[in-house]
Every structure is written in C-alpha cells, then in structure tokens.
Amino acid sequence: MISLTSENVRLRVSAKTKEDAIRAAGQVLVESGCIEPGYVESMLGRERQANTYLNHGIAIPHGMPQDRELIKKTSVCVVQIPEGVIWNDGTTAYLVVGIAAKSDEHLGVLAALTDVLDDPAAAHRLATTMQGSDIVDALNRKQPKGVATQELVDGEQLEVTIIGQAGLHARPATTFASVAGEFESNVRVKFGGKVANGKAMASLLKLGVPGGGRMVIQASGPDQTKALEALRDAVAAGLDDLPDEHAIAPAANAQVWTPASQGRSIAGVCASPGLAIGRLHIFQATVLQVVELGKGEELERRELAGALDTAKQQLEEIYDAVSARSGKGNAAIFRAHQAMIQDDELLNEVKLRIETGKSAAWAWQTGIERRVVEMRGIADEHIAARAVDLHDVGQRVLRLLAGAEHAEASLPDEPVILVADDLTPSDTAKLDPRKVLGLCTASGGPTSHTAIIARSLDIPAVVGAGPAVLEQKAGITCVLDGSAGLLYVEPSQEDLESARAFQQDLRVRRDVENENRYQPAILTDGHRVEVVANIGKVAEAAAAVEAGAEGIGLLRTEFFFLDREAPPTEEEQYQAYTEMVRALNGLPLIIRTLDIGGDKVLPYLTLPEEENPFLGVRGIRLCLRRPDLFIPQLRAIYRAAQHGPVKIMFPMIATLEDFHAAREAAEKVRAELGAAPVEMGIMVEVPSTVVMAAEFAKEVDFFSIGTNDLTQYTLAMDRLHPALAKHVDGLHPAVLRLIDLTVKAATKEGKWVGVCGGVAGDPLGASILTGLGVAELSMSLPSVAAVKARLRDLSLPAAENLARMALKCSTAEQVRALQPA
Ligand code: PEP
Ligand code: MG
C-alpha cells in the first residue's frame, strides 16, 4: 500500500476553475517524478467522463485506466484550496486528492479518506489546516477507524468477485450502493474481516476491496433474494466501472492526438480523417476586372463562343484526370459544369446583353453572378451549396474571356496546409496530395466536393471552420486534425514533436494492421466477430478479399444502375453478380436489392419529383411498384446464387407488409427458376422495424442494421444536411438503444444481426456493437484491417461493459468520450 508523503501536499493553493485545480494536482505529481505530464490530460479526460467529487468538499481526480503507462510510480497528492473551487453545479471542493494508481495500491489512502468523508468536521479541519502533517497523518492511517456496521445475522448471503484491476473504488462503490438502495432489505458487505453498509458508498470504500477480491454480500429483509440477485448481476457487469486497459486496445486509444498544452485551436467539421503538420497557405481567389463596353457585337459573340468551347474542352480534360485518379463518381461534377455553361436561358441572356453593346466578359459575369446570388439565397442547403459550382465554372469562362487564363490563384509548390474560404471543385481537383498536407475551409460542409475529393485523395480535411481561419497568418505552423475537426494554431514545440510522433505511430500502426489483415477478428476470449465489406462495384469484390474482408455484408446494387442510359438487363446483372461470387471464392455475398430514391436518383427512371424523397417511394417501396426493375434483379440474384453462397437483403423495410410482398415476389421468381432457397434478410433502418423486431425476427433469416438511415429517421435529421452533419451520429444513445432492442429480439428467435452502416467501420462503434451482441460488421474497405485489429485486442466482457456504459449515456458526445480523448 502506498502512503501520502508531505512532499506531495500543497497548502493554500488558489484555483479559479476545476481544471486549474486538477492541473495543480497533476503538477504536484509531475514535480515529484510520479507521472509523465501527459497523465494530467488523462486526469482531465477522466473528469469529463465521470465526476470525481466525493463528499464534504473532497474530490479525487485520477487518470483514465488506459493511460497507466504514463504513471512512473503509484502515488497520491493533496492540494488544499481553502477558498474552494466550484467542482460541479452546487458542489465546491476544498481538498483535491490527485491519484495516479498503476493498480490498487492506493486503496489504503482511499479507505482512510472515507473516515474523513464520514466526518464533516474532519474534512473542514483538513481544508483549513496550516499544517501539511495533519493531512498526511489523516490519510495515512493504516487501519480505518471503527467498523461502520454489524454483520447481519439473518437473511441470505452470496460471494462475488470484483472484476477489473482497480477494485471497489469510488465509481463502482457508488453503483453498488445505488443498486442496493433500490431494495428495502438491509445490505452488508464483508471483506477481510471488515463489514460495510452496502447502501453507503463511503462505507464500502473502507473495505479496500482490490481487483479480483472476493467479498460476501448479505441481505436481510422482505426483498432479500431479489436484492442479492441484482447485486450479483451488477458486480458481474463490472459496476459501471470504466473498462480497464484491456477493454480498449492501447493502439486504439492513440487514434486521437491530444496536445499536452492548451494552445489555440479552431473547430470545424471533420471532412477527411488524419493528422497533418505544416505551414498555412492562405488561398485567395483572384478578382478579375472586366470592361463593360463591347468591341462590336460580332467580335464579342465570337469570343464568347471560343471561350465556351475552350472551357468545355478543359472540363473534359479535368473529368478524365479526376475519374482516372478518384473514380467517375468524384469526377461527375465536371460533367455538371459542362451542362451549366450550355444552359440556353443563360446563353440567351448573355447574347441579348452583347446585342446592346456590352462586352462578352461583362455580359457573362453579370449573368452568372445574378444566378449565383439567387442560388445562395435558396433555403435548400444542397442547392445553395451548388452556387459554388456555378461561380467556379463562371470564373473559368470569364478568365478565358478576359484573356487571364493564367490568373488562376496559384497553389503552393511546397507541402502546406491549405486554408481557403471554400475551394471550388476545379481548385480541389488540381490538388496534389504530395503538396497539400491538409485542407481547412471556412465554409462548406462534409458533403461538399472539397470534402469528398479530400477523402478520396486521403488528405486530412476540416470544413466549416468559420472566418477565423482566414485571419491566420500565412506561413505559421499548424497541426490539422481531420478526425477531430480541429486546426491547432502554432502549437508549442513539445506538441509539434508529439504530433510528429503520433503521425509516425499511426503509420507504423497502419502497417501492422495491414500485415495482420487476414487474421480473423477473434477477441481475447475466443469470441469471433465477422468483419465483412460494403461494396458497389464488381472489381471491389476481389479488392475486399485483398483488404482482409471475410465476405460482403452489403452489395449496394444501385451502383450498377447509375451512370447509364437504361437499367442493366437481367443478363448483365447475372454476369456481374456471378463474377463477384467467383472473386469471393466461397466467402458470403449479401446482395441488397435496388435502393433507389432519397439521395440516389436515376435520371432515366423519370420518377415524379417528391417533396420529401427520403420519406417517399424509395428502396423496397419503389421495387414493389416497379416489377420491371425488381423481377429481373431477383432472377439474376437467384441464378448467381447457384455459383456460391449468396444471400438476399431488402432495403428500407418499414412494415411487415413490405417484407411479405418482397418475399412473395422473390419466392415466385425462385419457383419459376426452380432455384434453391437462399437466406433472406432485411435492412433495419426505419424505427418502426425495430419496434416490430420481435415479429420480423420470426420470419427473416437475419437483420442488417443500416445505421446511416436508422440515425436519420430516428433523430429526424437529413443525413446529407450540411448544417446537421455534426449531429447525425450513429453512436447517439437513441440509435444504440434501438440496436440493442433489435439484437435482443433477434437472439430470442436464434437469428443473427449485422450492422452495415458507417458506425460498423468506426473502431469505437465496432467495439460497442460487438458488446451489444452484433455478430457481423460490414464496412468500407479501408476500415477492415483497423477494425479487425481493434477487436483482436478486446475481450467480450470488456466490450459488453463498454456497450452497457454507452447505452446509459445521454448524448452521442458522452458515448464518443468513452473513447479516451
Ligand atoms: C445505411 O442506411 O446505413 C446503409 C448501409 O445503407 P445506405 O447507406 O446505402 O443507405
Ligand atoms: Mg440505407
């Protein structure tokens, strides 16, 4: 057992805030050589997760279990703040007991502390004493004085083991006492010859039960059996203690970089993950000056036609370059630009102005700017966001008309963090990842093209950071954390070094994860989770196997229907699915039937415009109305299933009737083909399906939870809305509780549950989902190796503990804080 030394006591300290007080305690431990400075941040992080105020003006800040390697020697310190510091609403701390414990050696001090906690007069005395030795003596009392309660003579008892390394410290003791408090019976706890009142946290702390310690719980009263059962379950569930270092892999903890000092940072929205370190380059678009008066109608008309032709050609070249580098989807915007400059209404307006004697450049600029202003004013954020495209293509033509082709704002030659108000798609397309280390824009949202292209180029990016970023001095060194959505301005030398070390660790970690990508995700206790991939193209089936996926959990078939003039035929689909089955070589392939509507539109279908497309005829609703699309697809799936393990999945199922109709159509097709049955599951992405999960579970073979849509429908937030993007978080407790309900309903019927929405590929999300009992996680290819690595470092009880804590959270932020910040 460790003891408090006078070297670790500070008297008459003043602290304005709780943070100051925690930092002061941390400083004492740093100065006495007990901890690394980084542990102070861990103490602050722990405080954000759990309030460490105990009672009678005493708080016990301590770090997070997974940061224990930052402790050089287990120790405690006391900072006395006679004037007090507000700890939380309504509570003021006068004695701050900082704890850095490698395991449970500090329990003796905590036990002694409970004597003080039981005695307000003693607490007051220590808060005001001028002698450090008073505090040292009080907290070093080896044997806690007095036994609070007597053992119970009647009633029942059982023996339990305290799990976790830290033992029955303040947080689990609080949980124990509150569970015991729900029952009328008296509850006593016996350990090492001492007896405590099971309903009083302070009394329980006195027992000093270490991790792995066996204690006896006694209950006596009308509900004694129930009380014992509840306490046994609560102890087995870990008493809400934060998972110890085995619960969350150390590798995963380091996924977020945290600076040691509190420098200046600017917050935006994360658009592309990763960490960039470099000098800022402020990107400013050039303002072109044009002459209003034309040089003659004929000449101006010719110039306009020439500029439009050249612009079209340039756009064609950019389209080819971007689609070769980042795929057709990312390049499509340049096709849209071509269409914008061929808009008849715009061209007629420009020509009319030329006829009245204006220059082509002036006429063009006026026509474009009017439309840009109109678009920006439109309430629909998606349309408003497209104003940047019109402005971009307008400038392209204008530069040609004004003979200022080379007046494009220059991009840097040396590697920099690029800061801009908003980059146009043309600017973003020109970015060379070797020169642009990171991107930070004042406006724009995560669905902007800047964000999409940055992700495809693997450039860390933060968008929507506000005008403050534009006011930064060019050339200053910053750290941009795309994962956290933060730009750290001029961090200290120490922080820069730690950021560089973090980058290096990240690279090494990625390499190690990649090397082990073919290892299954078997948890430390043998529990296995299937890690599979979400894909949309034929070639991605082989790429998924190469990335370490154990099959395909979601084939988004709508991608075969995009970028064409007409739907693919049954034969084309059969060929495509069969090719994928072959590439998978025996690994499972879950084919989701067409999910068109909402954000995915097919121009050739000429469907009526909908006021609320996400609530309209999308997914299965569309397929049931369009047998011309649905039946050939079902036929192709059943035919491909003859070559390997294919499963069918229906999207956007909201009612049992939807499923019955879809199943009937599939069965009819199967009977016609004389094909063998295949497993049939549904996407769970509408809250009504969760509510009715017990009924669905009787009829389906599996559930796959689409958290992207389930989140948008549960929180009533458009998943593409730039202003809401930050909040559409699949780790919101409301969504997690729905997942929990789904898994429980499925388990009752012996069915399995997968998750194929974005949270499955988030290492924290994957850990929580595993703890909730999800059997299969399906994600985009780059996440496979990292998620597998994370799961291999986890045990099922630790994942379950994490899931239980997540379910109890009130906000997504609290859930995300379970991952050490
Ligand atoms: C989902 O909604 O979570 C899902 C996986 O489907 P999609 O993103 O294709 O709508
Ligand atoms: Mg969906």
Side-chain angles (χ1 to χ4, degrees), residues 534 554 556 558 592 595 599-600 618 683 685 705-710 719 756-758:
N534 294 348
L554 167 64
R556 289 185 164 106
E558 46 281 5
R592 180 175 77 182
D595 184 18
D599 55 324
K600 301 165 199 139
R618 72 167 284 207
M683 297 274 297
E685 35 190 4
I705 303 178
T707 48
N708 307 338
D709 277 314
L710 187 59
R719 63 193 260 189
C756 59

Side-chain angles (χ1 to χ4, degrees), residues 481-500:
D481 186 346
S483 317
L486 285 168
L487 179 77
Y488 295 96
V489 181
E490 295 190 291
S492 67
Q493 203 50 38
E494 190 195 354
D495 281 337
L496 278 177
E497 271 158 36
S498 101
R500 281 193 199 103

Side-chain angles (χ1 to χ4, degrees), residues 135-185:
I135 294 177
V136 173
D137 290 348
L139 297 197
N140 282 348
R141 195 174 293 125
K142 296 280 181 288
Q143 207 52 47
K145 67 171 181 195
V147 166
T149 48
Q150 293 300 311
E151 196 171 336
L152 297 175
V153 275
D154 14 279
E156 296 172 49
Q157 67 175 46
L158 56 82
E159 201 178 5
V160 293
T161 303
I162 292 295
I163 57 173
Q165 292 204 344
L168 194 62
H169 60 96
R171 189 180 164 104
T174 307
T175 306
F176 189 101
S178 82
V179 174
E182 285 167 20
F183 298 90
E184 221 180 292
S185 303

